[in-house]
Amino acid sequence: MGGSPTPSVLCALAFYFVFLLGLDRLVQIVRAQNGTTPPSEVSALNSVFNQWGISAKYYQWNISGEPCSGAAIDNTVIWNIGNSEFNPGIKCDCNGTVCHIIQLKVYALDVTGAIPEELWSLTSLTHLNLALNYLRGPLSSSIANLTQLQTLSLGINALSGKVPKEIGKLTNLIVFYFDSSGVSGAIPYTFAALQNLTTVWGSDNELTGRIPEFIGNWSKLRILRISDLSNGSSSLAFLKDMTSLSTLILRNNNISGTIPSNIGDFQSLSQLDLSFNNFTGPIPDSLFNLSSLSYFSCMFRFLGNNKLTGMLPALKSPLLHIDVSYNQLSVELPSWANNSVLATGLDCIQQNFPCLGDIPSSPKYSDFAINCGGPEIISSSQIVYEWDNETLGPATYYETSTKRWAVSNVGHFNDILNNPQYTSVSSSQINTLDSELLQTARISPGSLRYFGLGLDNGNYNVTLEFAETSFFNPPAWQSLGRRVFDIYIQAWHVYENNCEVELVDARLLEFDEEEVKRVIGVALLCTQTSPQQRPSMPRVVAMLSGDIEVSAVTSRPGYFTDWNFDTTSLEL
């Protein structure tokens, strides 16, 4: 098939070369108008992407040459996390001569491995979003190079090591997300310099120590979420002048003292969670009288699991989404409680709840079974699992009409993971005789509890049946969730609430209350973790006989403090 090319072929080839020359000329013109990216930034970006095994789509920018082109320099908005079309994505700032990479988004792509050191050489970055991945290893101190950063999002990753004190050098930071990132240690004192912060999310990490007092000097702060601090004791004194806060979530931080009396001055506050702390004293009336809030507001007040005392304020109007369960409050509810989403448990699970077996007209129960989040099902062993598909809200207490059991939910999902039904449904076929029992589940962002009501006194066997339907095998950000099952030991709970007498068999017509308290106190002393805190046998006998005083129990029993929760993925 020799011979010369036909004129049509020559014409096509000529057009092809002209097209290439024209495209190259167009690129040169664009570069001349917008500038070129420094080779060091191009090399750093390519190295990061190569190590993470990701790349942009070919039409978004010139991935083999000039990155600051196409979507990186036009009006395309990439920062919206809902925009998956430009993810990974970059934006550049060009002055006609030089272009610098100022935004980098690698969001929810299940990227694995360490953060490449080359990333910290992109010193012009103002926005960096690496959230919802499976990044591992420590954060490098070289993060201090990114002094132009305004937004830093590292949330939901598998990082390790301490929070770098060098982040304190990023004084332009406005938004800082490092929730569920895996970092540990105390919040560095260098963070005091971060005076431009408006938003901080730092919950669900391995952080230790106190909530730093210098946070009170972050005058621009509007959203503060720091939870799950361990090995420290804090107070809320730093909040005194932070009346512009709109969100305050300080859950499970071992905070003691009282709730500030000026909490009513926080007129912008829409979400408040101070649950699982050690607050004492009454609930300030001003907390329930924020003048900017109405009946239809989205105000969430979570104060459960503290040591608050007294009565709930007598308010004129009802409120939404309040949880004050597991405190030492009086059982008499204010008149507005019947019209509110009030999760107190006061009328059923705290004090003076009668044993239904002692009421002649009421049935006596010794067992119950629940299909969490689903309809009634009779199992292969003929156990009736009662239905549990009542719609739960962010602070809800639901009791069955038979008063056989109840469920309470506390917590508000953020906008991204909003689930108004607070249930999860899976169509997976699980290898068990009762697969349908494991296809529905309750979910909660804070606390979910089931209560057996009016049960007969005695020893019980508790069976939990569960299957993994939500968390995936690693490496994926969805596999980073943790599962915690907690069956309360009633003796410690009633001791904390000064209700030891409730453990006495109702059939005992006469008993000595002081003797009951003495026996329970000695039992709790014998379960302390430290051998130095556990009394010798002669001392136990002396305390039981009343010859010497029972020592104060200042810490939880060893079966609480020494319990190791398995946070790894289950292979089922």
Side-chain angles (χ1 to χ4, degrees), residues 462-488:
V462 178
T463 302
L464 296 175
E465 298 184 55
F466 60 94
E468 188 58 85
T469 60
S470 296
F471 297 153
F472 304 107
N473 290 328
W477 70 266
Q478 293 96 331
S479 64
L480 295 171
R482 295 187 294 175
R483 317 146 190 82
V484 176
F485 293 96
D486 187 0
I487 301 175
Y488 274 88

Side-chain angles (χ1 to χ4, degrees), residues 177-487:
Y177 296 108
F178 65 107
D179 51 305
S180 304
S181 61
V183 295
S184 60
I187 298 175
Y189 67 91
T190 57
F191 281 23
L194 303 179
Q195 295 290 314
N196 288 309
L197 283 172
T198 64
T199 302
V200 174
W201 285 27
S203 302
D204 187 32
N205 286 298
E206 301 297 328
L207 298 179
T208 58
R210 297 168 50 87
I211 298 175
E213 295 292 328
F214 60 68
I215 289 180
N217 297 323
W218 290 348
S219 59
K220 298 179 181 179
L221 199 65
R222 299 296 177 266
I223 298 175
L224 177 61
R225 297 172 179 246
I226 297 178
S227 299
D228 310 303
L229 286 173
S230 62
N231 300 328
S233 179
S234 306
S235 74
L236 291 185
F238 71 93
L239 285 178
K240 182 171 64 71
D241 298 321
M242 304 186 71
T243 55
S244 296
L245 284 172
S246 62
T247 297
L248 177 62
I249 298 178
L250 299 175
R251 184 177 185 270
N252 192 29
N253 288 321
N254 197 29
I255 305 175
S256 58
T258 59
I259 297 175
S261 59
N262 73 326
I263 195 72
D265 295 337
F266 290 61
Q267 291 296 313
S268 299
L269 201 60
S270 62
Q271 292 190 42
L272 174 67
D273 188 348
L274 301 177
S275 59
F276 292 89
N277 284 295
N278 291 313
F279 289 109
T280 57
I283 301 175
D285 290 4
S286 61
L287 175 63
F288 295 97
N289 285 297
L290 294 173
S291 60
S292 62
L293 299 173
S294 67
Y295 177 78
F296 298 102
S297 70
C298 292
M299 177 66 174
F300 298 90
R301 303 172 178 86
F302 301 139
L303 305 173
N305 290 80
N306 282 287
K307 299 176 181 177
L308 298 169
T309 57
M311 298 280 291
L312 289 175
L315 305 180
K316 297 180 181 179
S317 60
L319 296 163
L320 291 178
H321 310 311
I322 308 165
D323 168 49
V324 292
S325 59
Y326 285 97
N327 280 286
Q328 298 173 23
L329 301 166
S330 301
V331 296
E332 184 179 350
L333 297 179
S335 58
W336 52 265
N338 292 331
N339 297 319
S340 303
V341 183
L342 179 70
T344 65
L346 295 174
D347 58 338
C348 191
I349 59 176
Q350 275 197 296
Q351 302 176 22
N352 302 329
F353 182 77
C355 178
L356 296 182
D358 294 332
I359 303 175
S361 60
S362 299
K364 180 183 290 186
Y365 299 120
S366 60
D367 63 354
F368 64 96
I370 306 168
N371 181 25
C372 299
E376 179 179 304
I377 290 177
I378 300 177
S379 72
S380 58
S381 56
Q382 300 305 302
I383 296 175
V384 177
Y385 287 80
E386 297 185 44
W387 72 277
D388 174 34
N389 51 9
E390 183 77 13
T391 298
L392 296 184
T396 307
Y397 176 79
Y398 170 74
E399 179 184 297
T400 62
S401 59
T402 60
K403 293 187 179 295
R404 185 165 182 155
W405 57 269
V407 58
S408 71
N409 176 66
V410 175
H412 175 57
F413 289 106
N414 62 44
D415 294 335
I416 301 172
L417 303 174
N418 190 29
N419 188 323
Q421 298 300 319
Y422 287 81
T423 57
S424 175
V425 180
S426 172
S427 59
S428 301
Q429 294 299 313
I430 301 167
N431 187 21
T432 178
L433 292 176
D434 300 307
S435 177
E436 64 274 17
L437 272 175
L438 305 175
Q439 292 177 337
T440 63
R442 286 287 189 191
I443 55 179
S444 176
S447 175
L448 179 70
R449 293 191 177 98
Y450 286 90
F451 309 93
L453 306 178
L455 292 169
D456 194 11
N457 289 331
N459 298 321
Y460 285 84
N461 292 322
V462 178
T463 302
L464 296 175
E465 298 184 55
F466 60 94
E468 188 58 85
T469 60
S470 296
F471 297 153
F472 304 107
N473 290 328
W477 70 266
Q478 293 96 331
S479 64
L480 295 171
R482 295 187 294 175
R483 317 146 190 82
V484 176
F485 293 96
D486 187 0
I487 301 175

